[in-house]
Amino acid sequence: MKKSNPIHQTFTLVKKDLTLELRQQYAFYGVLLYIVSTVFVINLMMGRPDDKVWNALFWVIQLFVAVNAVAKSFMQESRGRLLYFYSLVNPRCFIAAKLIYNVILMTLMSIIALVCSVAFLGNPIINPVYFVGMVLLGGTSISLLFTMLAAIAAQANHNAALMAVMGFPLIMPVLMLLANISLSAFVTVYQPELPKMFLLLGGMDILVIALTMILFPFLWKD
């Protein structure tokens, strides 16, 4: 792998993570159980909530799905395995593979969460195509941010508390932005501020990717 180009290294690592996930499936079934049970309990307690509550509950579920699915990607890597990868691959290829894998995983989990929410909590969405696009974009944003946090926590002796402390002030603006943008799927009135919000969200994603690619090689050396 050392002699291969960075693109080949990256996609080889993505394939490795996907293969391990397909073989073990612990995280997948665990998160699937969490999604179904959470949405079902909300249905028993609240019935079918109104538009704003439905939207807020959905993004809260997305947050905890990311914590359970994406944030564990580094926690399952032992120090010995990380040292082994250190001797084989470029650190930017390694973190890029984690970013891609977590985006794929979070996209799948986001679609499952949406299907379960519609099935148990009703479907108040007026513009489903727009909302599905927001779900995919929001899942990508959350997965990128938690991948960066998990990478930092993994280099600090897998300190999950560190990820929680750093993640709270970083994830709150993203969640508020996603909730505000996705509300447009529940109304028919055009909101002129939407393009600016999309640009802001895209800019935050690019910033997270850039920071991760810059900082991780320094963390990797430690």
Side-chain angles (χ1 to χ4, degrees), residues 14-210:
V14 173
K15 183 179 178 182
K16 181 267 299 181
D17 286 333
L18 290 173
T19 302
L20 288 176
E21 185 63 39
L22 290 174
R23 287 180 180 176
Q24 299 175 351
Q25 299 182 347
Y26 300 128
F28 177 79
Y29 286 118
V31 176
L32 181 61
L33 176 63
Y34 169 81
I35 294 172
V36 175
S37 59
T38 301
V39 177
F40 182 69
V41 169
I42 292 173
N43 174 262
L44 293 178
M45 296 177 65
M46 300 183 61
R48 299 198 169 189
D50 59 28
D51 300 355
K52 289 186 177 180
V53 176
W54 194 100
N55 184 54
L57 288 173
F58 177 79
W59 289 110
V60 170
I61 292 171
Q62 286 286 83
L63 171 62
F64 286 99
V65 168
V67 172
N68 284 277
V70 175
K72 290 181 179 179
S73 61
F74 276 90
M75 298 302 172
Q76 65 186 3
E77 302 283 6
S78 64
R79 300 290 295 183
R81 187 183 296 178
L82 289 175
L83 181 61
Y84 173 70
F85 286 130
Y86 179 82
S87 65
L88 289 179
V89 300
N90 186 287
R92 289 191 174 90
C93 295
F94 182 81
I95 192 62
K98 288 293 185 182
L99 290 170
I100 295 171
Y101 166 74
N102 285 333
V103 167
I104 295 172
L105 180 62
M106 191 62 193
T107 298
L108 178 60
M109 295 298 178
S110 298
I111 294 173
I112 295 174
L114 178 59
V115 172
C116 291
S117 297
V118 171
F120 288 104
L121 304 179
N123 183 18
I125 304 169
I126 297 176
N127 191 342
V129 176
Y130 174 82
F131 192 78
V132 170
M134 276 307 308
V135 169
L136 298 179
L137 180 61
T140 299
S141 300
I142 295 172
S143 67
L144 292 175
L145 181 57
F146 272 104
T147 301
M148 180 184 72
L149 295 175
I152 296 173
Q155 299 307 117
N157 296 322
H158 296 280
N159 192 339
L162 178 63
M163 186 179 67
V165 171
M166 293 188 303
F168 181 77
L170 294 175
I171 197 61
M172 289 306 296
V174 176
L175 279 181
M176 295 298 295
L177 189 59
L178 288 171
N180 289 330
I181 297 175
S182 58
L183 274 177
S184 300
F186 299 86
V187 297
T188 56
V189 180
Y190 173 71
Q191 299 183 15
E193 297 296 323
L194 278 180
K196 293 182 181 179
M197 291 185 178
F198 275 110
L199 288 175
L200 179 59
L201 185 61
M204 292 175 67
D205 290 346
I206 294 173
L207 180 61
V208 169
I209 294 173

